[in-house]
Structures are given as structure tokens and as C-alpha cells.
Amino acid sequence: MRQRPQYIVEAFARAGHPTYFVDPREPGERTVGNVTIVPSIADTPQSGVILYVHFAPVRTLFGRYEQPAVVYDILDDLSISDPDEVGMPEERRVRYHHGPVVETADVVVASAPALIETHMHERDDMLLIENGVDPEAFGAPRARPDDMPPTDGMVIGYHGMIARWFDFAMIAAIADGFPDHHIVLVGPVDTGVADRLAELTGRGNVTHLGPRPSDEIAAYVQAFDVGLVPFVVDDLTRAVSPLKMYEYMAAGVPVVAAP
């Protein structure tokens, strides 16, 4: 999924900076737009660099660069990592590395006001840089995807990760309350909630299409009559600046969201 880090890296590239995105899953170097995607930090310049960091444990790699400038982007409440770190040694956990990165980074930014409030005592010069959207990317008309389910009613849509912050009970209530409309979910699913999703899609008017290429997401969003942000309200989601909300609005789709 193309999310905030990808958009920020693309913006640096469009501004004319040589830009690298490190993804260990890549078999080799390739270029997407103006961004060079490489499988290892060994494939990037080792000096004169700005490191854009949003996962604090990578600070163990900072020493491989000669005097890097570090931009630390706090995307979510730190609790988002807790379930995935059960049983991990402390030195591999996000919270262990977060404080030192905040203290030593050249610039610290956050994506939502709630995150500024949470972390301002750690760094009083933090910058608020909320999410945004490319209006043309989501506003330019796209053909309706062939795999959208047929319906005589409205398409009530969601795109994004389906994980523990997804309100399954809310979606079930919508599906049961509006049987003539169809709920379409587009995006990957965390294995920890796969059984809950299966129960949901057992209804005749709920379809999970799975992940789709980022370049095709705008077409799905434009096929929605309503865009949902159906998140459980807790400390994690109170700190979210939902990118999908801006994308729905750029496509001219009405938004229904949790508080």
C-alpha cells in the first residue's frame, strides 16, 4: 500500500533530490518514477544523506552513514507495535529506541495533533505535518473496476489495512441494517483478524476484494457511494490522521467515520 512514507519520499524525488527507498524484499535495484528502490542500505550513498525514518529500531543502522541528517516521522501511537513485539527482547522494541531517536534526530515531525500532545515533552520543537492527498490522482475520472460486485443499492466502501483497529461489529451492523446495499472492503488483512473477517464476509452483502495495486486504488474509491473510516476508538486511533479520508474527499465520495 502506498502510504505516508511513500508519498513523502516521492515528494523529495519530485523536488529533484536523488532519492532511495530501501526494501529488503526487492530482488535488485529498480526505479519507480524518480525513486530508486534498492534491497539494502549498502546500495545507497553512504555520506551526504538525509535519512527519513519512521521505525525507531533502524537507529542501529545510522552508524553506517557518515554524519547523516535524520528526520524522524512519528506516524502512529507507539502502541501500534506492542502486539507484534510480544516475546521480543527489549532492545528490539520500538519503545526502547524511540527516546534516543527523538533526542538525537535533526528534525522530529508527527502526523496528528494527538501525537504532538503525547510527545511534545520529549521534544519541544516537534513539527506537525498532517497527511494530505494529490487531488488529481484521486479526482481524475477512472473506469469502474471489473471486480466490483454488482448491486442495485449503494456501494459502501473501505480501502486500507484490515487489522485490530477495524470495527467489525460496526460493519456487521451496517450490513445487517442495510441489506439492499453492498459493503466492499479493499486491502490486505492481518492474520490475527482473519477469522473475524471471514465471519463478516459470510453475509451476502459484504465482499472483501483483498489488496490491489496502489495505482488502481483511486478507481475503487470512485466506485464507492460512501467511504468508511470504521475504526474502533481508542488511544491508537485517536492519534490517527486517516489518509483514506482525504482520498475519499478528493474523489468526491461522502465520508462516514468513527468519532
Side-chain angles (χ1 to χ4, degrees), residues 4 72-78 98 102 107-131 235-236 238-241:
R4 177 184 174 97
Y72 181 36
D73 192 0
I74 304 174
L75 305 183
D76 296 291
D77 188 86
L78 300 184
H98 167 80
V102 169
V107 178
V108 180
V109 303
S111 62
L115 293 171
I116 294 287
E117 293 173 9
T118 298
H119 297 287
M120 183 62 78
H121 72 281
E122 301 170 332
R123 182 80 180 241
D124 61 9
D125 62 348
M126 287 179 63
L127 301 175
L128 174 64
I129 302 180
E130 296 190 76
N131 285 326
D235 288 342
L236 173 61
R238 271 190 286 268
V240 164
S241 174

Side-chain angles (χ1 to χ4, degrees), residues 111-112 130-132 228-229 231 237 239-249 255 257:
S111 62
E130 296 190 76
N131 285 326
L228 297 180
V229 187
F231 292 165
T237 59
V240 164
S241 174
L243 188 60
K244 62 183 61 43
M245 181 182 72
Y246 301 103
E247 294 169 344
Y248 294 156
M249 291 193 293
V255 181

Side-chain angles (χ1 to χ4, degrees), residues 23-206:
D23 187 341
R25 299 169 297 183
E26 288 291 323
E29 181 178 308
R30 65 188 177 99
T31 302
V32 177
N34 296 324
V35 179
T36 302
I37 302 178
V38 295
S40 169
I41 64 170
D43 301 313
T44 66
Q46 302 300 294
S47 62
V49 300
I50 298 172
L51 301 181
Y52 169 73
V53 175
H54 57 87
F55 182 62
V58 301
R59 80 180 178 101
T60 59
L61 305 176
F62 292 174
R64 299 194 183 191
Y65 292 91
E66 181 183 342
Q67 296 184 320
V70 175
V71 177
Y72 181 36
D73 192 0
I74 304 174
L75 305 183
D76 296 291
D77 188 86
L78 300 184
S79 64
I80 193 171
S81 301
D82 292 344
D84 299 321
E85 296 179 337
V86 174
M88 278 189 183
E90 184 179 4
E91 63 270 16
R92 289 182 56 194
R93 299 184 182 188
V94 167
R95 294 178 189 274
Y96 179 86
H97 295 279
H98 167 80
V101 177
V102 169
E103 182 178 350
T104 60
D106 294 270
V107 178
V108 180
V109 303
S111 62
L115 293 171
I116 294 287
E117 293 173 9
T118 298
H119 297 287
M120 183 62 78
H121 72 281
E122 301 170 332
R123 182 80 180 241
D124 61 9
D125 62 348
M126 287 179 63
L127 301 175
L128 174 64
I129 302 180
E130 296 190 76
N131 285 326
V133 67
D134 179 352
E136 292 184 3
F138 280 82
R142 304 285 190 97
R144 182 185 178 89
D146 294 336
D147 57 354
M148 288 291 291
T151 178
D152 293 329
M154 292 192 301
V155 174
I156 302 171
Y158 169 86
H159 93 84
M161 186 74 186
I162 300 173
R164 71 182 192 279
W165 51 81
F166 190 86
D167 194 333
F168 291 91
M170 179 190 295
I171 299 300
I174 294 172
D176 295 341
F178 299 92
D180 295 332
H181 301 318
H182 206 102
I183 297 173
V184 177
L185 311 175
V186 180
V189 57
D190 187 288
T191 55
V193 298
D195 56 338
R196 301 186 68 186
L197 179 63
E199 190 277 330
L200 197 59
T201 55
R203 293 165 168 80
N205 64 336
V206 180

